[in-house]
Structures are given as structure tokens and as C-alpha cells.
Amino acid sequence: MLPLITYSMMMEEKSKEGKFRIRLELIRYALSNGIRETKRAFRCSRNTVRLWVRRYKEDNIAGIRERSKAPKNIPHKTASEIEEEIVSCRLKVPCYGPRRLKMMFSLKPSEGAIARVLKARGLVMKDKKEISEKKGFKGYKS
């Protein structure tokens, strides 16, 4: 019995439950009919079939659920200790920007990294233009 749905249709499927159901169908078909017949029936590569069969054999049903695509570690992320150092320097002198903080306190991260930390922590001052527009000051008219 040939399946009614192909693997490419599964990739278009929006619900996680739908993808899970199709993967399970693919695995059952592969275990009973073999990898070559499954790849033809589902119109996918043999590596795709092998991937799902291997995950199923390793972790059973849990192996075919959606996995997170987020990285396990971020090597370029600023360490929390360094972030705290940047924040403490900024709190000492609230008017200093990233360039001045780096220069005056001999901070190791780049100016961009310092700016990113300040913005993430809500320590960035608003532009003078934004402040004056909020108060209703539109500038001088000649």
C-alpha cells in the first residue's frame, strides 16, 4: 500500500502533530518495506528515511518529535560577568556612551558589543530630537 502523502507535503505541513504523524507513517513503512521502497513511495532521499528510522530506533517515539533548531551554545555572546561590568560602569557615569565607556574604563568588548548590552538593559538615552518633539518643541522657524 502506497502512502497518500509525500515527504515534501510534510515539510509544508504547519502543525507539529501533522509532521509527527507523517514521520511515524514513513518509519512504519520503512520498517516493513525497506529504505529503497520507502524513498520511492514518499519521494524523498534515502538519507531522510535513514535519519528518521535511526532516530526512532534510538529514542523511540520521542526521537521523531520536532527538535529545537536553536544553537546549543553561542560562542560570540558576551559573558554575563562582562555585561555586569559594562552596566556597573554605565551606572557610575550615565552620560557616557559606548566609546567613552570603553576608553575610560578600559573595557575589552568592542563599542558595538557595549552598545548592544546597554540597549538590551534599557540604559540607552533617548535622542535630543525625540525628547524635544515629545515636549512639543518643533525647532525654530525663520
Side-chain angles (χ1 to χ4, degrees):
M1 179 178 92
L2 290 174
L4 300 173
I5 196 158
T6 64
Y7 189 76
S8 59
M9 290 176 174
M10 183 205 77
M11 295 310 289
E12 294 170 3
E13 179 76 34
K14 297 293 181 202
S15 69
K16 288 183 180 180
E17 192 56 41
K19 287 183 180 182
F20 174 80
R21 186 176 38 78
I22 296 164
R23 286 178 188 149
L24 191 58
E25 189 178 327
L26 182 139
I27 291 165
R28 287 181 180 153
Y29 195 87
L31 292 176
S32 62
N33 298 345
I35 291 174
R36 183 176 288 175
E37 185 60 35
T38 304
K39 84 176 183 104
R40 287 185 190 133
F42 283 83
R43 293 189 214 134
C44 63
S45 70
R46 67 171 194 238
N47 287 341
T48 301
V49 177
R50 286 178 177 163
L51 169 82
W52 293 114
V53 170
R54 186 190 75 235
R55 284 186 183 179
Y56 178 76
K57 286 180 178 177
E58 288 173 357
D59 298 328
N60 209 350
I61 296 292
I64 58 175
R65 296 243 180 245
E66 276 295 309
R67 291 187 179 178
S68 173
K69 291 174 178 64
K72 291 178 179 52
N73 66 345
I74 307 169
H76 61 274
K77 184 174 178 166
T78 308
S80 58
E81 303 87 38
I82 295 173
E83 283 189 18
E84 292 303 322
E85 184 183 1
I86 292 169
V87 170
S88 67
C89 292
R90 175 61 180 244
L91 293 176
K92 288 176 189 172
V93 190
C95 61
Y96 280 10
R99 186 181 303 154
R100 242 187 190 170
L101 285 172
K102 181 174 176 64
M103 186 176 64
M104 299 303 265
F105 291 99
S106 301
L107 297 173
K108 287 187 177 184
S110 67
E111 291 171 20
I114 294 170
R116 197 170 40 251
V117 169
L118 295 177
K119 186 174 181 182
R121 300 289 183 100
L123 296 172
V124 178
M125 298 177 106
K126 293 183 180 178
D127 290 343
K128 290 179 183 178
K129 182 179 177 184
E130 288 180 29
I131 294 169
S132 63
E133 284 178 1
K134 280 188 177 179
K135 292 181 180 177
F137 178 74
K138 299 291 183 189
Y140 295 105
K141 294 181 182 177
S142 50

